[in-house]
Amino acid sequence: MKNMKKLWALLLALAMVLSLAACGGTSDGETATDDQTTEDTATDETTETDSDLAYVQDKGSLVVGITYFAPMDYKAEGSDEWIGFDADLAKLFAESLGVSVEFQEITWDYKVEELNSRAIDCVWNGMTLTEDVVAAMGTSNPYCTNYQTLVYSADRAAEFEGLTSLEGLNIAVESGSAGEDAAVALGATTVPVQAQSNALMEVAAGTSDAAVIDVLMAAEMTGEGTSYADLVYSLNLNEAQDLPSEEYGVGFRQGSDLVDAFNTFLTEKVADGTVLEVATTYGLQDAVILE
Protein backbone atom coordinates (compact mmCIF):
# COMPACT_ATOMS: atom_id res chain seq x y z
CA MET A 1 0.00 0.00 0.00
CA LYS A 2 2.85 2.36 0.88
CA ASN A 3 4.39 1.69 -2.49
CA MET A 4 1.10 2.44 -4.18
CA LYS A 5 0.84 5.77 -2.32
CA LYS A 6 4.42 6.68 -3.36
CA LEU A 7 3.60 5.83 -6.98
CA TRP A 8 0.51 8.07 -6.96
CA ALA A 9 2.55 10.88 -5.38
CA LEU A 10 5.20 10.62 -8.08
CA LEU A 11 2.59 10.62 -10.82
CA LEU A 12 0.90 13.68 -9.32
CA ALA A 13 4.21 15.53 -9.08
CA LEU A 14 5.07 14.66 -12.67
CA ALA A 15 1.68 15.90 -13.84
CA MET A 16 2.24 19.24 -12.05
CA VAL A 17 5.67 19.67 -13.66
CA LEU A 18 4.29 18.98 -17.14
CA SER A 19 1.39 21.37 -16.56
CA LEU A 20 3.74 24.19 -15.51
CA ALA A 21 5.97 23.56 -18.52
CA ALA A 22 2.99 23.69 -20.86
CA CYS A 23 1.78 26.94 -19.32
CA GLY A 24 5.22 28.45 -19.67
CA GLY A 25 5.38 27.40 -23.36
CA THR A 26 1.98 28.90 -24.07
CA SER A 27 2.97 32.18 -22.50
CA ASP A 28 6.13 32.42 -24.61
CA GLY A 29 4.18 31.52 -27.73
CA GLU A 30 1.57 34.18 -27.02
CA THR A 31 4.28 36.78 -26.49
CA ALA A 32 5.90 35.88 -29.80
CA THR A 33 2.56 36.02 -31.57
CA ASP A 34 1.78 39.41 -30.05
CA ASP A 35 5.19 40.73 -31.09
CA GLN A 36 4.69 39.41 -34.62
CA THR A 37 1.23 40.97 -34.83
CA THR A 38 2.68 44.31 -33.77
CA GLU A 39 5.38 44.07 -36.43
CA ASP A 40 2.86 43.09 -39.12
CA THR A 41 0.57 45.96 -38.15
CA ALA A 42 3.45 48.39 -38.35
CA THR A 43 4.38 47.05 -41.78
CA ASP A 44 0.80 47.38 -43.01
CA GLU A 45 0.54 50.94 -41.70
CA THR A 46 3.80 51.86 -43.40
CA THR A 47 2.57 50.46 -46.70
CA GLU A 48 -0.70 52.36 -46.44
CA THR A 49 0.96 55.68 -45.66
CA ASP A 50 3.66 55.42 -48.33
CA SER A 51 2.97 57.31 -51.55
CA ASP A 52 2.42 55.31 -54.72
CA LEU A 53 5.47 57.00 -56.21
CA ALA A 54 7.58 55.90 -53.23
CA TYR A 55 6.17 52.38 -53.52
CA VAL A 56 7.21 52.12 -57.18
CA GLN A 57 10.64 53.61 -56.53
CA ASP A 58 11.21 51.36 -53.54
CA LYS A 59 10.54 48.18 -55.53
CA GLY A 60 12.51 49.56 -58.47
CA SER A 61 10.01 48.94 -61.26
CA LEU A 62 6.91 50.40 -62.90
CA VAL A 63 4.56 47.58 -63.99
CA VAL A 64 2.47 48.71 -66.96
CA GLY A 65 -0.77 46.89 -67.78
CA ILE A 66 -1.32 46.46 -71.54
CA THR A 67 -2.96 44.42 -74.27
CA TYR A 68 -1.56 43.81 -77.75
CA PHE A 69 -2.53 47.02 -79.55
CA ALA A 70 -0.52 48.36 -82.47
CA PRO A 71 0.55 51.15 -82.73
CA MET A 72 0.39 51.70 -78.93
CA ASP A 73 1.81 48.48 -77.42
CA TYR A 74 3.01 45.65 -79.63
CA LYS A 75 6.02 43.54 -80.64
CA ALA A 76 7.78 43.66 -84.00
CA GLU A 77 7.89 40.34 -85.83
CA GLY A 78 10.58 38.11 -84.36
CA SER A 79 11.17 40.37 -81.34
CA ASP A 80 10.28 39.99 -77.66
CA GLU A 81 10.52 43.74 -76.98
CA TRP A 82 7.37 45.78 -76.47
CA ILE A 83 7.36 48.90 -78.64
CA GLY A 84 4.77 51.47 -79.73
CA PHE A 85 3.78 55.00 -78.86
CA ASP A 86 2.60 54.10 -75.36
CA ALA A 87 5.38 51.58 -74.73
CA ASP A 88 8.14 54.00 -75.76
CA LEU A 89 6.77 56.77 -73.54
CA ALA A 90 6.31 54.32 -70.65
CA LYS A 91 10.00 53.47 -70.87
CA LEU A 92 10.89 57.16 -70.71
CA PHE A 93 8.51 57.78 -67.80
CA ALA A 94 10.00 54.89 -65.81
CA GLU A 95 13.46 56.25 -66.54
CA SER A 96 12.41 59.66 -65.19
CA LEU A 97 11.36 57.92 -61.95
CA GLY A 98 14.67 56.10 -61.71
CA VAL A 99 13.11 52.64 -62.13
CA SER A 100 12.86 49.92 -64.77
CA VAL A 101 9.69 49.22 -66.73
CA GLU A 102 7.83 45.93 -66.93
CA PHE A 103 4.95 45.27 -69.36
CA GLN A 104 2.20 42.96 -68.16
CA GLU A 105 -0.52 41.74 -70.52
CA ILE A 106 -3.90 41.91 -68.81
CA THR A 107 -7.52 41.02 -69.48
CA TRP A 108 -8.99 44.44 -70.27
CA ASP A 109 -12.24 43.85 -68.42
CA TYR A 110 -10.27 43.41 -65.15
CA LYS A 111 -7.94 46.38 -65.46
CA VAL A 112 -9.29 48.10 -62.32
CA GLU A 113 -8.91 44.95 -60.24
CA GLU A 114 -5.36 44.52 -61.55
CA LEU A 115 -4.55 48.06 -60.44
CA ASN A 116 -6.13 47.83 -57.00
CA SER A 117 -4.43 44.51 -56.23
CA ARG A 118 -1.07 46.09 -57.19
CA ALA A 119 -0.49 43.43 -59.83
CA ILE A 120 0.20 46.45 -62.07
CA ASP A 121 0.97 50.10 -61.33
CA CYS A 122 -0.80 51.73 -64.26
CA VAL A 123 -2.91 51.03 -67.34
CA TRP A 124 -1.23 52.54 -70.40
CA ASN A 125 -2.73 51.09 -73.53
CA GLY A 126 -4.71 53.53 -75.63
CA MET A 127 -7.30 53.72 -72.85
CA THR A 128 -10.30 55.92 -73.60
CA LEU A 129 -11.19 58.24 -70.73
CA THR A 130 -14.79 57.13 -70.34
CA GLU A 131 -16.94 58.10 -67.37
CA ASP A 132 -16.45 54.62 -65.87
CA VAL A 133 -12.67 54.79 -66.22
CA VAL A 134 -12.45 58.26 -64.67
CA ALA A 135 -14.66 57.14 -61.76
CA ALA A 136 -12.61 54.00 -61.07
CA MET A 137 -9.03 55.26 -61.49
CA GLY A 138 -6.77 58.22 -61.01
CA THR A 139 -6.40 59.36 -64.62
CA SER A 140 -3.83 61.52 -66.37
CA ASN A 141 -4.30 64.47 -68.68
CA PRO A 142 -5.31 63.26 -72.18
CA TYR A 143 -2.48 62.72 -74.66
CA CYS A 144 -4.13 61.38 -77.84
CA THR A 145 -7.45 61.49 -79.73
CA ASN A 146 -9.37 58.58 -81.21
CA TYR A 147 -12.77 57.37 -82.36
CA GLN A 148 -14.47 54.00 -82.77
CA THR A 149 -14.73 52.49 -86.24
CA LEU A 150 -16.21 49.42 -87.91
CA VAL A 151 -13.89 46.78 -89.39
CA TYR A 152 -15.19 44.19 -91.85
CA SER A 153 -14.18 41.99 -94.77
CA ALA A 154 -13.44 43.91 -97.96
CA ASP A 155 -15.71 41.64 -99.98
CA ARG A 156 -18.66 42.75 -97.82
CA ALA A 157 -17.95 46.48 -98.07
CA ALA A 158 -21.23 47.27 -99.85
CA GLU A 159 -23.17 45.91 -96.87
CA PHE A 160 -21.55 48.23 -94.35
CA GLU A 161 -20.91 51.55 -96.02
CA GLY A 162 -23.18 54.28 -94.71
CA LEU A 163 -24.69 52.20 -91.90
CA THR A 164 -26.31 54.12 -89.04
CA SER A 165 -27.38 51.02 -87.07
CA LEU A 166 -25.71 47.70 -86.25
CA GLU A 167 -28.93 45.84 -85.46
CA GLY A 168 -28.99 42.24 -86.63
CA LEU A 169 -25.17 42.03 -86.80
CA ASN A 170 -22.77 40.01 -84.65
CA ILE A 171 -20.03 42.48 -83.74
CA ALA A 172 -16.77 41.46 -82.03
CA VAL A 173 -15.69 43.87 -79.29
CA GLU A 174 -13.10 44.04 -76.55
CA SER A 175 -14.95 43.39 -73.30
CA GLY A 176 -15.16 46.51 -71.15
CA SER A 177 -14.02 48.84 -73.94
CA ALA A 178 -15.37 52.00 -75.55
CA GLY A 179 -15.89 49.89 -78.67
CA GLU A 180 -18.27 47.63 -76.77
CA ASP A 181 -20.21 50.69 -75.56
CA ALA A 182 -20.51 51.99 -79.13
CA ALA A 183 -21.65 48.64 -80.52
CA VAL A 184 -24.31 48.24 -77.83
CA ALA A 185 -25.53 51.81 -78.36
CA LEU A 186 -25.98 51.11 -82.08
CA GLY A 187 -28.00 47.95 -81.48
CA ALA A 188 -25.43 45.23 -82.23
CA THR A 189 -25.36 41.74 -80.84
CA THR A 190 -21.91 41.81 -79.28
CA VAL A 191 -19.31 39.06 -79.21
CA PRO A 192 -16.99 39.99 -76.29
CA VAL A 193 -13.31 39.04 -76.53
CA GLN A 194 -10.29 39.78 -74.35
CA ALA A 195 -8.50 42.27 -76.63
CA GLN A 196 -9.16 44.39 -79.71
CA SER A 197 -6.64 42.31 -81.64
CA ASN A 198 -8.80 39.25 -80.89
CA ALA A 199 -11.80 41.09 -82.33
CA LEU A 200 -9.94 41.34 -85.63
CA MET A 201 -9.30 37.58 -85.51
CA GLU A 202 -13.04 37.00 -85.13
CA VAL A 203 -13.76 38.96 -88.32
CA ALA A 204 -10.93 37.35 -90.28
CA ALA A 205 -12.21 33.91 -89.28
CA GLY A 206 -15.74 34.79 -90.32
CA THR A 207 -17.18 34.09 -86.86
CA SER A 208 -18.34 37.71 -86.49
CA ASP A 209 -19.81 40.02 -89.12
CA ALA A 210 -17.55 42.90 -88.13
CA ALA A 211 -15.61 44.41 -85.22
CA VAL A 212 -15.75 47.75 -83.48
CA ILE A 213 -12.25 48.91 -82.48
CA ASP A 214 -10.20 52.08 -82.13
CA VAL A 215 -9.48 53.76 -85.45
CA LEU A 216 -5.80 54.02 -84.53
CA MET A 217 -5.56 50.23 -84.36
CA ALA A 218 -7.66 49.79 -87.50
CA ALA A 219 -5.33 52.07 -89.45
CA GLU A 220 -2.27 50.18 -88.25
CA MET A 221 -3.43 46.57 -88.40
CA THR A 222 -5.78 46.28 -91.40
CA GLY A 223 -5.47 46.73 -95.17
CA GLU A 224 -2.69 46.24 -97.67
CA GLY A 225 0.67 45.30 -96.21
CA THR A 226 -0.72 44.11 -92.86
CA SER A 227 -1.64 40.74 -91.35
CA TYR A 228 -5.27 41.58 -92.11
CA ALA A 229 -4.96 42.67 -95.73
CA ASP A 230 -8.52 41.51 -96.50
CA LEU A 231 -10.09 43.66 -93.79
CA VAL A 232 -11.08 47.30 -94.23
CA TYR A 233 -12.67 49.93 -92.03
CA SER A 234 -14.99 52.88 -92.40
CA LEU A 235 -17.50 54.90 -90.40
CA ASN A 236 -16.85 57.16 -87.45
CA LEU A 237 -19.12 55.57 -84.86
CA ASN A 238 -18.68 58.50 -82.50
CA GLU A 239 -20.21 60.77 -85.12
CA ALA A 240 -22.96 58.21 -85.69
CA GLN A 241 -23.91 58.67 -82.02
CA ASP A 242 -23.43 62.47 -82.08
CA LEU A 243 -20.49 62.05 -79.70
CA PRO A 244 -17.18 63.93 -79.76
CA SER A 245 -13.88 62.22 -80.46
CA GLU A 246 -12.42 60.19 -77.61
CA GLU A 247 -9.28 60.96 -75.65
CA TYR A 248 -6.67 58.55 -74.33
CA GLY A 249 -5.19 58.77 -70.86
CA VAL A 250 -3.08 56.73 -68.44
CA GLY A 251 -4.80 55.14 -65.46
CA PHE A 252 -3.32 54.86 -61.97
CA ARG A 253 -4.76 53.84 -58.62
CA GLN A 254 -7.26 56.29 -57.16
CA GLY A 255 -5.48 59.00 -55.21
CA SER A 256 -2.08 57.99 -56.61
CA ASP A 257 0.60 60.68 -56.66
CA LEU A 258 1.87 59.03 -59.86
CA VAL A 259 -0.85 60.99 -61.66
CA ASP A 260 0.88 64.29 -60.91
CA ALA A 261 4.27 62.76 -61.65
CA PHE A 262 3.05 61.63 -65.06
CA ASN A 263 1.36 64.94 -65.91
CA THR A 264 4.58 66.79 -65.11
CA PHE A 265 6.54 64.32 -67.26
CA LEU A 266 4.07 64.70 -70.14
CA THR A 267 4.22 68.49 -70.05
CA GLU A 268 8.01 68.41 -70.16
CA LYS A 269 8.14 65.89 -73.02
CA VAL A 270 5.60 67.85 -75.07
CA ALA A 271 7.64 71.01 -74.55
CA ASP A 272 10.96 69.48 -75.61
CA GLY A 273 9.47 67.80 -78.70
CA THR A 274 9.80 64.20 -77.49
CA VAL A 275 6.08 63.39 -77.65
CA LEU A 276 5.74 64.61 -81.23
CA GLU A 277 8.90 62.74 -82.24
CA VAL A 278 7.63 59.45 -80.80
CA ALA A 279 4.16 60.03 -82.27
CA THR A 280 5.64 60.62 -85.72
CA THR A 281 7.57 57.34 -85.45
CA TYR A 282 4.26 55.51 -85.22
CA GLY A 283 2.21 57.69 -87.59
CA LEU A 284 0.24 59.36 -84.81
CA GLN A 285 1.33 62.96 -85.35
CA ASP A 286 -2.22 63.99 -86.29
CA ALA A 287 -3.77 62.31 -83.25
CA VAL A 288 -1.39 63.31 -80.47
CA ILE A 289 -2.42 66.17 -78.16
CA LEU A 290 0.29 68.81 -77.90
CA GLU A 291 -1.47 71.50 -75.86
Side-chain angles (χ1 to χ4, degrees):
M1 181 65 69
K2 288 182 179 180
N3 289 338
M4 183 64 69
K5 288 182 179 180
K6 288 181 180 180
L7 177 59
W8 278 109
L10 286 171
L11 291 173
L12 180 61
L14 179 60
M16 291 179 66
V17 169
L18 291 173
S19 176
L20 288 172
C23 290
T26 301
S27 176
D28 290 344
E30 289 174 353
T31 301
T33 301
D34 290 344
D35 290 344
Q36 185 64 48
T37 300
T38 301
E39 291 175 4
D40 290 345
T41 301
T43 300
D44 291 343
E45 289 175 352
T46 300
T47 300
E48 290 174 0
T49 56
D50 277 350
S51 74
D52 221 14
L53 174 58
Y55 165 73
V56 166
Q57 291 178 324
D58 183 59
K59 68 188 177 78
S61 64
L62 177 75
V63 182
V64 181
I66 61 171
T67 64
Y68 193 99
F69 177 1
M72 313 310 281
D73 295 296
Y74 67 103
K75 295 178 179 180
E77 187 175 354
S79 173
D80 288 329
E81 180 186 3
W82 287 100
I83 59 172
F85 181 66
D86 284 355
D88 287 5
L89 286 181
K91 294 171 188 177
L92 292 174
F93 179 53
E95 183 181 324
S96 76
L97 301 179
V99 300
S100 62
V101 66
E102 297 178 17
F103 295 101
Q104 178 66 48
E105 288 190 85
I106 61 173
T107 298
W108 194 247
D109 213 19
Y110 296 103
K111 54 189 176 292
V112 176
E113 290 81 358
E114 294 276 11
L115 266 180
N116 292 340
S117 69
R118 287 191 166 179
I120 59 175
D121 299 311
C122 63
V123 180
W124 198 339
N125 192 71
M127 182 175 67
T128 301
L129 296 174
T130 63
E131 290 182 2
D132 288 344
V133 164
V134 171
M137 304 182 194
T139 52
S140 73
N141 293 335
Y143 64 86
C144 204
T145 61
N146 174 66
Y147 63 82
Q148 298 303 311
T149 193
L150 192 68
V151 177
Y152 45 84
S153 176
D155 61 12
R156 297 183 62 183
E159 301 176 41
F160 293 100
E161 290 175 0
L163 280 183
T164 57
S165 170
L166 300 179
E167 290 186 16
L169 296 172
N170 293 319
I171 304 297
V173 295
E174 180 181 56
S175 182
S177 69
E180 181 177 39
D181 293 341
V184 169
L186 292 170
T189 299
T190 58
V191 181
V193 294
Q194 288 191 357
Q196 292 190 87
S197 54
N198 292 344
L200 292 178
M201 294 179 188
E202 287 280 328
V203 182
T207 50
S208 292
D209 294 311
V212 174
I213 65 171
D214 293 13
V215 70
L216 298 184
M217 173 182 275
E220 178 71 18
M221 296 187 66
T222 67
E224 187 176 351
T226 72
S227 298
Y228 297 101
D230 294 332
L231 301 185
V232 296
Y233 68 94
S234 68
L235 303 178
N236 182 328
L237 298 185
N238 290 65
E239 286 185 355
Q241 301 172 79
D242 293 322
L243 296 175
S245 294
E246 300 166 0
E247 293 180 328
Y248 287 165
V250 184
F252 300 92
R253 285 178 275 276
Q254 286 184 322
S256 174
D257 51 358
L258 283 171
V259 175
D260 287 338
F262 172 80
N263 287 338
T264 298
F265 162 83
L266 182 63
T267 298
E268 292 173 351
K269 294 306 176 184
V270 166
D272 69 14
T274 300
V275 170
L276 180 58
E277 180 181 350
V278 176
T280 302
T281 300
Y282 296 101
L284 300 176
Q285 60 273 18
D286 294 331
V288 71
I289 298 172
L290 300 174
E291 298 177 355

